[in-house]
Amino acid sequence: MGAFPVTRITTSRKDSIDFSNLRFGVYFTDHMFVMDYSNGAWHSPRIEPNEPMAISPANMTFHYGQAVFEGLKAFRQVNGRIVLFRPDRHASRLNRSCRALCIPEVAEDVVLAGLTQLIREERDFVPAQRGHSLYIRPFVIAMDNTLGVQSSQTFRLIVLLSPVANYYAEGMKPVSLHVAQHHSRAAKGGLGMAKTPANYAASLLPAKRAKEKGFTQVLWLDATEHKYIEEVGTMNIFFKINGELFTPPLDGDTILSGITRMSVIELCRSWGTPVHEQRVSIQQLYEAAHSGELEEVFGTGTAAVISPVGEIQYNNETIQINGKQIGPMAQKLYDTITGIHYGELADPFGWIVEVC
Ligand SMILES: *Cc1c(COP(=O)(O)O)cnc(C)c1O
């Protein structure tokens, strides 16, 4: 893949970034990777200054939400190399989301070459501190300017880069979950398997209600029966019951296929821990908690990697998990995956891809 043309900014904003207080998605690098779709083809891949764009108020994305996104990270390893975690999986998931939203698929090698060249350009923005990283946000928006409800004929792909802090400023901490009994994240036949703004819009009100009740996040049940557990907040979920792991299966199309979920399953199987991709009802979970068989609950996602769950409330009954402490499986998975990210541990699965 040849080098894409670069238009550079004149003054870097790097010096205005407080690398000791990065938080999440607040700061951005100087440039972005851009590509356009028109007349039936993706074209004009390029690197441009990351600056406000002129967009028509009639842009269809504002009105009907035809858009998809991805989220992955680049890490500065202990030996100084900058690497990506399973970028091929993120590129293929971007296309899965595109198909669900009637967006023309992108050439995965072009997207990966584009973000790689962009990260090389912006290598000084990749934080050096252990636990910090460069968050990569590829996304595609519709670019037609019309109020007619139909698929757009033109699109734009952009890749933004944002240096981010460790999700856990003071170490991993168990979260509390409130089970959504009246809301659902995604229905059968809907967009649950796509990374698209609509799913996030649907999650905002239930998330606000859960916070008002004093909980960190929402535990989502299936939209048909409000019985089976699907996801937690914007993460996949795992249960450790009697020494074995359970996670909801992806066959219903309502659950996002997380790359962290996939990696946790592969790691646990390599350790000899059985993993069942099997539906777990909220009833079964409560029974396992009451009988003392529920050992751990944790969420998985690129942002936090592993997010242990200490407490769940359903129907005004609260259960505590592992005495609200981080469980050994959650800790081992977190240490292993982040160890692979930063090059402290070997990468036996070939998940790491070098950028520079
Ligand atoms: C992105 C996302 C996840 C986690 O996926 P990763 O690839 O592990 O980051 C889980 N659930 C939802 C709804 C998501 O949008």
Side-chain angles (χ1 to χ4, degrees):
M1 198 61 56
F4 303 114
V6 182
T7 310
R8 290 199 177 76
I9 54 137
T10 44
T11 320
S12 174
R13 56 169 74 95
K14 183 163 174 281
D15 292 339
S16 66
I17 296 180
D18 180 1
F19 277 87
S20 63
N21 185 26
L22 284 175
R23 292 162 290 158
F24 182 80
V26 177
Y27 299 110
F28 295 92
T29 69
D30 292 332
H31 303 88
M32 57 189 185
F33 177 73
V34 186
M35 201 158 57
D36 289 306
Y37 182 93
S38 58
N39 298 319
W42 284 103
H43 59 85
S44 316
R46 61 203 185 267
I47 289 172
E48 286 186 347
N50 172 2
E51 283 168 352
M53 306 183 292
I55 298 255
S56 164
N59 176 294
M60 286 183 61
T61 312
F62 295 135
H63 304 278
Y64 307 122
Q66 193 181 16
V68 297
F69 66 95
E70 263 304 316
L72 66 161
K73 283 175 172 176
F75 304 92
R76 192 182 290 277
Q77 293 198 323
V78 285
N79 59 11
R81 293 191 315 167
I82 295 169
V83 304
L84 298 167
F85 186 73
R86 311 193 79 172
D88 51 326
R89 295 291 185 167
H90 286 277
S92 61
R93 189 174 65 188
L94 178 67
N95 273 336
R96 196 178 322 150
S97 300
C98 283
R99 289 194 292 274
L101 271 291
C102 273
I103 296 172
E105 292 184 44
V106 294
E108 291 171 21
D109 57 344
V110 176
V111 175
L112 292 175
L115 67 85
T116 299
Q117 187 181 333
L118 179 65
I119 294 165
R120 286 184 186 141
E121 285 282 334
E122 310 281 51
R123 68 181 74 191
D124 291 348
F125 285 88
V126 184
Q129 196 179 319
R130 170 67 158 91
H132 291 20
S133 58
L134 186 71
Y135 185 78
I136 305 160
R137 168 54 60 88
F139 64 106
V140 184
I141 55 172
M143 288 298 281
D144 278 9
N145 304 317
T146 164
L147 299 184
V149 179
Q150 63 201 20
S151 178
S152 181
Q153 299 299 307
T154 58
F155 296 89
R156 179 166 291 171
L157 174 140
I158 299 174
V159 180
L160 289 177
L161 303 179
S162 173
V164 298
N166 192 334
Y167 189 85
Y168 300 106
E170 292 128 25
M172 208 168 22
K173 194 169 154 262
V175 296
S176 61
L177 308 183
H178 189 260
V179 179
Q181 281 181 266
H182 306 290
H183 294 94
S184 16
R185 192 190 79 90
K188 260 204 173 72
L191 295 172
M193 85 311 267
K195 237 175 156 61
T196 184
N199 293 331
Y200 282 71
S203 77
L204 296 176
L205 183 62
K208 184 169 165 237
R209 295 266 187 275
K211 283 221 171 67
E212 283 164 1
K213 293 189 174 82
F215 294 86
T216 329
Q217 285 192 11
V218 177
L219 184 62
W220 301 104
L221 303 181
D222 73 282
T224 313
E225 297 178 78
H226 274 276
K227 189 171 161 191
Y228 295 100
I229 299 166
E230 299 221 312
E231 295 203 55
V232 46
T234 56
M235 290 184 285
N236 295 115
I237 191 158
F238 284 83
F239 312 101
K240 186 158 168 272
I241 301 172
N242 251 340
E244 305 194 349
L245 279 183
F246 293 80
T247 191
L250 304 177
D251 47 20
D253 270 7
T254 55
I255 294 173
L256 201 282
S257 173
I259 316 298
T260 319
R261 173 188 183 278
M262 192 184 292
S263 307
V264 162
I265 293 173
E266 289 168 42
L267 265 181
C268 286
R269 288 189 176 147
S270 80
W271 294 335
T273 307
V275 186
H276 309 278
E277 294 182 68
Q278 189 179 303
R279 293 178 112 189
V280 175
S281 71
I282 189 74
Q283 252 74 35
Q284 285 171 313
L285 188 78
Y286 268 61
E287 281 163 22
H290 292 144
S291 68
E293 291 172 303
L294 179 63
E295 294 159 3
E296 295 188 37
V297 178
F298 53 87
T300 66
T302 295
V305 185
I306 302 290
S307 183
V309 175
E311 203 171 32
I312 298 175
Q313 190 186 74
Y314 173 66
N315 244 344
N316 292 321
E317 185 191 347
T318 304
I319 52 169
Q320 289 196 353
I321 298 126
N322 196 40
K324 292 172 84 171
Q325 303 300 305
I326 302 165
M329 181 60 87
Q331 187 70 55
K332 186 178 174 189
L333 283 164
Y334 181 79
D335 291 345
T336 305
I337 295 172
T338 60
I340 292 172
H341 287 163
Y342 291 96
E344 298 150 351
L345 296 178
D347 170 31
F349 302 95
W351 289 340
I352 293 298
V353 175
E354 183 167 348
V355 171
C356 55

